[in-house]
Amino acid sequence: MSCFKGRIICFLFAIFGFLPQECNSFGLSPRETKPSRYKPINEETETNDPLRRQIVSSIPFLALGLPANAAETPAEAIRLISSKTIPGLGPPDVYYPAYFVGRWKTTRIISSSDDPFFKDLENLGVKLPIQVTSESRFVPYDAGKDFQQIDDANPNNVPAVADRSFNEKSYYTALSQEIDRLYSSSKSMPSIQSINWTPTNPNVLSMDYSDGSSKEVKVTKRSSDVSNDGSNLFSSEFRRITAVPSSSSGIAGGIPSIYKSRVLTKWRQGNSNDVIEGIEILYNEAGILGDKSTDPLQLGIGGSGAISSLYGGDSKDLADWRSTKTKILMERM
């Protein structure tokens, strides 16, 4: 029961010398009443007192207005779990409504991008938009370390989390195959040899590739919001990506590069629990945006080009963010 209503009810019991065990948590006892104004109940002679019967009979009706302890809607369940934030990070993971649990045929249409990766593909003749079809998987958030062995059922109807290792590998493989199909003479993307991720530590995703290179994606900050009926969800994640290129011998050992990234995603439930639509915008840091001065006296304090005219001398440290926009359609398998 709620603290305020519960204390009132227990106080009324205490006044008449009768205190249920449930009221002990409020620190009340029959001794808190004033014996000079109220006499203790005599069970043999005063059990039929009309006032006492009226108070006792009203308790069930007062309790009807008390809030339930358990979450009653998808939004309440997600917000309850997300409230256990990690200082400086936010919620431990992005939590989705329970109907996300299962396997999905995921169609992504990469509509536009100025990211260097897709710019290089454009120079090779691979034009956007590109359609990539892969498989995605979501598991109950309480799946723990054994999430690989569970089926797609969600008997407790709890919120879901994305199986990031499965989804990343499936999408990467499908994207590689689609690029090979569109431009078969280009150099193929290296395949993923190993990928490490677990729901108990969802902030780190590590991948090793067949050419000896590797990449680590670490979430540094996140936030999310869900509509009251659970039909709409928005999430934002800031990430730090460490990429280690392969050396000439085909093993990891090149100079690593570290850059920042942010991914914004919005989901909307379709006409049923078997269709989900989404929009994703990925921002990757691609070096420094500022103009470089050719004047030796100006080195280190910016330049005099178009960027500097907008942002001043500090433009030399202004991050160059590149975006990739993707439409997503998920259909339950």
Side-chain angles (χ1 to χ4, degrees):
M1 64 178 64
S2 66
C3 181
F4 178 72
K5 289 184 179 180
R7 191 172 182 86
I8 291 178
I9 294 170
C10 292
F11 182 73
L12 292 175
F13 273 126
I15 288 177
F16 290 91
F18 173 73
L19 193 69
Q21 185 176 1
E22 291 80 359
C23 295
N24 293 339
S25 60
F26 294 103
L28 296 174
S29 67
R31 292 191 298 273
E32 290 183 341
T33 63
K34 298 181 180 180
S36 60
R37 296 179 58 188
Y38 304 99
K39 295 186 298 182
I41 292 289
N42 187 321
E43 294 295 337
E44 295 182 357
T45 61
E46 300 185 32
T47 54
N48 294 324
D49 180 75
L51 179 59
R52 183 173 184 268
R53 289 202 308 270
Q54 182 178 1
I55 293 175
V56 173
S57 63
S58 67
I59 300 305
F61 296 97
L62 292 172
L64 290 176
L66 301 180
N69 291 328
E72 297 178 353
T73 67
E76 290 175 355
I78 292 174
R79 288 167 183 161
L80 179 63
I81 302 171
S82 300
S83 64
K84 302 174 182 179
T85 59
I86 300 174
L89 173 65
D93 204 341
V94 176
Y95 300 102
Y96 302 84
Y99 62 80
F100 270 76
V101 171
R103 292 176 179 264
W104 302 81
K105 174 187 175 183
T106 304
T107 302
R108 292 173 174 263
I109 300 179
I110 306 171
S111 57
S112 63
S113 176
D114 58 358
D115 189 89
F117 175 81
F118 289 102
K119 283 298 182 182
D120 291 343
L121 288 178
E122 185 177 355
N123 294 333
L124 294 173
V126 180
K127 305 291 186 180
L128 296 180
I130 297 177
Q131 179 173 312
V132 180
T133 301
S134 61
E135 184 178 344
S136 299
R137 185 188 186 204
F138 292 79
V139 299
Y141 86 95
D142 57 357
K145 295 182 179 180
D146 298 327
F147 72 102
Q148 295 285 8
Q149 283 72 44
I150 67 171
D151 54 25
D152 296 331
N154 189 8
N156 298 324
N157 201 38
V158 298
V161 295
D163 185 344
R164 299 187 185 224
S165 59
F166 181 93
N167 297 348
E168 177 66 22
K169 186 173 184 179
S170 177
Y171 169 68
Y172 181 90
T173 302
L175 177 62
S176 177
Q177 293 173 350
E178 181 64 15
I179 291 175
D180 289 344
R181 186 187 70 82
L182 293 173
Y183 196 78
S184 57
S185 61
S186 64
K187 184 179 180 180
S188 299
M189 297 167 57
S191 60
I192 296 178
Q193 278 194 331
S194 64
I195 185 166
N196 296 314
W197 178 84
T198 175
T200 57
N201 184 25
N203 299 316
V204 179
L205 175 69
S206 302
M207 292 163 286
D208 295 319
Y209 299 96
S210 59
D211 63 350
S213 61
S214 64
K215 183 169 72 172
E216 179 188 84
V217 180
K218 184 174 184 179
V219 178
T220 58
K221 187 177 182 180
R222 72 164 54 90
S223 63
S224 62
D225 192 21
V226 61
S227 61
N228 289 332
D229 61 357
S231 62
N232 290 271
L233 177 76
F234 171 80
S235 65
S236 169
E237 287 190 333
F238 290 87
R239 311 180 302 174
R240 185 181 71 239
I241 299 179
T242 303
V244 181
S246 61
S247 64
S248 57
S249 59
I251 60 174
I255 300 175
S257 61
I258 301 175
Y259 60 93
K260 292 178 290 186
S261 175
R262 184 185 184 187
V263 58
L264 304 173
T265 310
K266 185 175 182 179
W267 299 99
R268 180 180 66 183
Q269 186 180 16
N271 297 328
S272 67
N273 288 346
D274 297 329
V275 177
I276 301 174
E277 300 172 342
I279 298 176
E280 178 185 274
I281 303 179
L282 174 65
Y283 295 94
N284 283 331
E285 183 184 31
I288 301 300
L289 185 63
D291 299 315
K292 301 299 183 183
S293 175
T294 57
D295 184 350
L297 298 179
Q298 296 291 324
L299 291 178
I301 60 172
S304 58
I307 301 299
S308 293
S309 65
L310 293 175
Y311 298 99
D314 289 339
S315 64
K316 73 181 186 66
D317 293 325
L318 192 64
D320 183 5
W321 289 95
R322 305 297 179 92
S323 64
T324 301
K325 299 179 181 179
T326 305
K327 295 181 180 179
I328 308 172
L329 175 64
M330 296 202 310
E331 301 169 285
R332 192 179 299 277
M333 298 178 64

